[in-house]
Amino acid sequence: MATVADAKRLVIKIGSALLVDRVTGDLRADWLEALADDVARLKARGADVILVSSGSIALGRAALGLPATELMLEQSQAAAAVGQIKLAGAYDAALARRGLRAAQVLVTLEDSTDRRRYLNSRATLEALLRFGAVPIVNENDTVATDEIRYGDNDRMAAQVAVTAGADQLILLSDVDGFYTANPAQDPAATRFDVIDQITPEIEAMAGDAASGLSKGGMKTKLMAARTATAAGCDMAITEGFVLHPITALENGAAATWFRAQGTPQQKRKAWIAGMKAKGQVTVDAGAVRAMERGSSLLPAGVTAVAGRFGRGDPVEIVGPDGRVLGLGLTRYTAADAALIKGLRSGAIEPVLGYPARAALIHRDDMAF
């Protein structure tokens, strides 16, 4: 059974109740410092780490003197605008003390439902991780309306895990796992150590949020588990109030693990392979050999472009003999791809008039 020590790319979700003191509305600085220790240790052993953090509205609410009741939309957005600065600054300072670089990433639901935005988000996260940064992801509450909101950071964390191709997602919560019933109301409730499949019986056991600061209950955590495990990502729910919560989980702290079938790479390839192509790109023999070695498809290797497609659309990759090699998500429109086919990377910007991505189809976006 996989453990945190096996994670190559890890998404950690932090709820407001862990990060913000319920009484004062202040940041729990000692807890954040301990979490930063955990992140530094994970990074030191070579793991990529992404943090999905609540807390901006809770911090901003206290700073603006807003009541601890349900806020109107404009009050929430104002609180988020104030709190986001405090939150990002706190993460930046804590990670910098350990020689790490923080990066702020604000997203909305539209960024995952629109394929072009999804691919852009994926490329941005990949670049940040490649540069060694620790992305701090939060919902863009200052502009998001109900129609474009995730609504809770459990499901958003799952979508971030899918977008980033993470192999593990950890939800740090105010409970230490998934129970047969709400343990605060039913003393006979028992915790699951491992859940291999989310059945209707499991769903019927889920309750609602009890915290005044967080919105996520067990129902949203099950939704997150469905999303993550379907994409090949294991997910854990564990109690996060203890200092160094990731270390505690590694050392055997109580938790519930939801097990994925397959790997993120396998699931993503299968997803791409099932799409209907909107065009074709024909490649030369050199490009075929490069892709067989695991390289991306560069414009220099493209000899012809056919069809009408936009950025992020699936296209067939055709070899010089006319054989369809596979399917890939293109990073260029059909018009732009036709303009830059056969060109080396340095020659693309003068033709298109803007800085361009090196790959026409990234290796992670191909299915053969």
Side-chain angles (χ1 to χ4, degrees):
M1 185 172 70
T3 65
V4 179
D6 301 315
K8 297 179 178 64
R9 180 165 294 178
L10 185 65
V11 174
I12 303 170
K13 181 263 178 178
I14 300 109
S16 295
L18 304 179
L19 201 58
V20 181
D21 187 276
R22 296 171 185 267
V23 178
T24 66
D26 294 330
L27 188 76
R28 296 181 63 215
D30 58 342
W31 186 89
L32 180 57
E33 291 292 332
L35 177 69
D37 285 339
D38 281 349
V39 172
R41 189 172 50 79
L42 290 168
K43 294 284 291 178
R45 73 170 187 229
D48 293 330
V49 181
I50 300 173
L51 303 180
V52 175
S53 179
S54 304
S56 61
I57 292 178
L59 286 172
R61 179 201 296 264
L64 294 175
L66 294 171
T69 57
E70 189 72 21
L71 299 179
M72 293 184 291
L73 176 61
E74 61 269 24
Q75 290 177 316
S76 293
Q77 291 177 329
V82 172
Q84 195 59 246
I85 293 176
K86 295 170 67 68
L87 187 67
Y91 274 114
D92 185 52
L95 292 172
R97 281 190 281 272
R98 290 150 181 87
L100 299 175
R101 172 87 57 189
Q104 185 182 55
V105 180
L106 300 178
V107 299
T108 66
L109 182 61
E110 284 186 337
D111 297 321
S112 59
T113 57
D114 180 273
R115 187 179 293 149
R116 282 175 292 182
R117 291 192 185 190
Y118 166 83
L119 288 174
N120 196 56
S121 298
R122 182 180 176 88
T124 299
L125 287 172
E126 284 288 348
L128 288 171
L129 294 172
R130 189 167 61 250
F131 291 135
V134 179
I136 315 296
V137 185
N138 201 350
E139 186 148 26
N140 195 353
D141 290 306
T142 58
V143 300
T145 59
D146 286 342
E147 291 78 12
I148 61 171
R149 283 182 56 80
Y150 284 94
D152 68 85
N153 277 9
D154 292 326
R155 284 181 290 180
M156 188 179 76
Q159 188 56 57
V160 169
V162 172
T163 301
D167 53 339
Q168 288 188 18
L169 166 63
I170 297 175
L171 303 185
L172 296 180
S173 181
D174 50 5
V175 294
D176 62 359
F178 185 84
Y179 281 74
T180 54
N182 187 336
Q185 300 172 357
D186 183 355
T190 58
R191 179 178 49 79
F192 291 88
D193 291 327
V194 178
I195 294 177
D196 292 311
Q197 184 178 5
I198 301 173
T199 63
E201 292 75 20
I202 292 292
E203 290 180 331
M205 298 173 188
D208 293 316
S211 168
L213 287 176
S214 63
K215 292 184 178 180
M218 278 300 158
K219 288 182 180 179
T220 67
K221 288 175 173 55
L222 278 187
M223 293 177 188
R226 279 194 179 279
T227 299
T229 56
C233 177
D234 289 327
M235 190 190 94
I237 301 172
T238 190
E239 191 267 306
F241 279 108
V242 63
L243 297 182
H244 303 101
I246 305 303
T247 299
L249 181 60
E250 286 189 277
N251 290 337
T256 299
W257 281 94
F258 294 81
R259 292 303 179 192
Q261 300 298 317
T263 68
Q265 293 76 19
Q266 291 168 341
K267 293 294 184 178
R268 179 169 175 79
K269 301 290 186 183
W271 171 65
I272 293 172
M275 294 181 172
K276 182 178 179 180
K278 294 189 176 182
Q280 287 185 336
V281 292
T282 302
V283 303
D284 60 27
V288 174
R289 289 193 295 270
M291 287 186 291
E292 287 174 343
R293 293 194 300 268
S295 297
S296 300
L297 174 60
L298 304 182
V302 177
T303 59
V305 176
R308 300 178 62 182
F309 52 84
R311 183 171 178 267
D313 284 339
V315 297
E316 288 179 333
I317 304 170
V318 181
D321 58 357
R323 181 170 58 94
V324 176
L325 304 175
L327 212 63
L329 305 182
T330 175
R331 295 189 169 190
Y332 289 93
T333 65
D336 285 351
L339 288 174
I340 63 174
K341 71 179 191 305
L343 297 182
R344 296 195 176 276
S345 299
I348 295 175
E349 184 175 351
V351 173
L352 297 182
Y354 61 85
R357 299 189 186 278
L360 183 77
I361 301 176
H362 193 273
R363 62 185 180 185
D364 292 340
D365 296 329
M366 295 180 187
F368 289 95

